[in-house]
Amino acid sequence: MQAEGCGFPTAHLLVQFHAYTGYLIDALPAPLRTHDLADVPFTHHGLRAGDVVAGDRAFCSYAHLAMLQKRGVFGLFRAHQRLLISFKPWRRHVRPDRKVQKGDAGVPRSRFIRRLGRHDQLVEYFKPDRRPSWMSPAEYEALPASLVVRELRVKVRTPGSRVSELTLVTTLLDAKRYPKEVIARLYEKRWAVEVNLRSLKQTLKMDVLRCGTWRGVWKELLVFVIVYNLVRRVMLEAARQQAVEPDRISFADALRWLREAKRGEALPRLRVNPQRRGRVEPRVKKRRPKQYDLMTKPRAVLRKKLLHQTSPPKKVAA
């Protein structure tokens, strides 16, 4: 937490990408301490029935799942860390109309319905009594009293992964049409979001914005979105010509051609990134920061302190 006048404003950015094309569909800036779910309803306007929305555990809430189901959209999210999940068949649950007692610690609030396989089951979620702060009373009242979802757990066998298993919650209920392994591979595509964000923040240098007003920041973000999607358009065309997946085309190479291309110039063959299966990288910084203290007081206060500081007396040799 930084004191007022001792740092630069930092924004929270909620983004929505297309899983195959990589296009940036929505980008919603907000104050830093904004929760992802606070603005997520604004990303639903472009969704169509039958679409699948994948996200991390922040999006795994009853209200969000119910909103997606109302639109005919499927949800696939990592289970929230506070969600109590047990794969024991016919285990007991705490009913929503019952007051939680001392012996209910660790007992799921969801009702078991049917086992679909090992660590794969259908359960019924019940509408919480407490309304989320980002929903109006009327919107929350319109949500159904319960919701049938599918809970499944998969092992992560990739060496170097931060987790050894993932517990997922989805409204893709048909186990024959959507086998457990297919759901797991589908959720893997969510990690492409991190690569897309890296292209935005590092390659396009959107990490630090320069404008001093919120209107200027909006315009600056809009330009970054336009440029990013233009590069993605080049990548899609190159992928079609070179018969590879779009995410195999080098974003940096597509950006370089877009900068230097002349009017009417044909698209050349772009660099195709190798498939680096099993590659792991530590989440660390190599570049060392400069050896200066952080600003903990406003600049005017520090400047005044410098002007009024007294130099220590010099020692004179006898």
Side-chain angles (χ1 to χ4, degrees):
M1 195 70 179
Q2 62 187 21
E4 185 176 354
C6 299
F8 295 100
T10 304
H12 172 273
L13 191 65
L14 177 65
V15 291
Q16 184 184 78
F17 291 97
H18 191 279
Y20 179 75
T21 64
Y23 281 139
L24 180 55
I25 301 172
D26 268 316
L28 302 173
L32 178 61
R33 302 301 175 187
T34 305
H35 194 278
D36 287 327
L37 284 176
D39 292 329
V40 78
F42 297 107
T43 67
H44 290 178
H45 65 276
L47 299 175
R48 297 176 296 179
D51 286 347
V52 178
V53 175
D56 58 25
R57 58 179 53 166
F59 299 95
C60 184
S61 75
Y62 179 91
H64 189 211
L65 288 166
M67 291 174 65
L68 291 174
Q69 189 184 63
K70 189 176 180 180
R71 283 181 167 268
V73 176
F74 298 102
L76 173 58
F77 309 107
R78 187 177 176 185
H80 195 274
Q81 61 271 21
R82 292 186 179 181
L83 194 61
L84 300 174
I85 295 179
S86 171
F87 288 96
K88 184 179 180 180
W90 303 111
R91 42 81 177 162
R92 73 184 186 94
H93 70 282
V94 179
R95 299 190 304 272
D97 56 348
R98 172 185 165 182
K99 190 174 182 179
V100 178
Q101 300 176 358
K102 187 176 181 180
D104 294 334
V107 178
R109 275 50 174 169
S110 59
R111 183 179 67 86
F112 175 84
I113 297 178
R114 187 167 74 253
R115 186 176 186 267
L116 302 177
R118 177 173 171 79
H119 291 164
D120 192 356
Q121 64 186 8
L122 293 182
V123 297
E124 183 181 15
Y125 284 2
F126 299 99
K127 183 177 178 180
D129 294 332
R130 189 173 180 179
R131 172 180 59 87
S133 58
W134 50 273
M135 290 191 76
S136 68
E139 289 174 334
Y140 193 64
E141 185 65 27
L143 297 182
S146 65
L147 186 67
V148 176
V149 302
R150 182 179 175 188
E151 296 175 339
L152 53 99
R153 182 170 293 158
V154 294
K155 294 288 185 180
V156 179
R157 306 189 186 279
T158 305
S161 298
R162 288 184 295 163
V163 295
S164 59
E165 61 182 20
L166 283 175
T167 304
L168 306 175
V169 176
T170 180
T171 51
L172 296 165
L173 307 182
D174 192 337
K176 292 183 178 180
R177 189 173 184 181
Y178 310 107
K180 182 179 176 180
E181 296 74 20
V182 173
I183 298 269
R185 288 197 299 269
L186 179 60
Y187 187 76
E188 283 182 4
K189 294 183 176 294
R190 195 215 71 84
W191 297 105
V193 170
E194 308 299 335
V195 180
N196 298 341
L197 285 173
R198 184 186 64 188
S199 299
L200 265 172
K201 293 181 178 180
Q202 303 300 324
T203 309
L204 293 182
K205 304 186 185 305
M206 195 191 74
D207 193 31
V208 178
L209 302 180
R210 306 296 178 183
C211 293
T213 64
W214 69 268
R215 292 183 184 276
V217 169
W218 271 95
K219 293 178 182 178
E220 197 172 357
L221 280 174
L222 181 59
V223 171
F224 275 111
V225 171
I226 292 173
V227 173
Y228 172 86
N229 283 338
L230 279 174
V231 177
R232 278 288 172 180
R233 179 67 184 89
V234 172
M235 293 171 64
L236 280 174
E237 180 59 26
R240 186 188 65 81
Q241 294 181 11
Q242 297 173 219
V244 296
E245 293 294 312
D247 58 359
R248 295 280 309 280
I249 300 295
S250 168
F251 186 95
D253 201 27
L255 176 63
R256 176 200 56 78
W257 180 83
L258 197 60
R259 282 173 171 168
E260 300 174 359
K262 295 180 174 55
R263 187 181 184 90
E265 181 180 341
L267 179 65
R269 290 184 63 86
L270 298 181
R271 177 182 176 86
V272 177
N273 292 324
Q275 290 182 331
R276 298 167 177 172
R277 300 189 183 279
R279 181 188 182 190
V280 294
E281 294 290 344
R283 306 187 82 178
V284 294
K285 290 183 178 180
K286 184 176 181 180
R287 190 177 299 279
R288 268 53 177 173
K290 295 181 179 179
Q291 299 299 316
Y292 292 109
D293 295 332
L294 293 177
M295 183 181 287
T296 57
K297 296 180 181 179
R299 186 176 297 275
V301 175
L302 295 178
R303 190 184 293 116
K304 186 177 181 180
K305 183 179 179 180
L306 286 174
L307 292 173
H308 290 83
Q309 72 179 5
T310 56
S311 301
K314 294 182 179 180
K315 293 181 180 182
V316 180

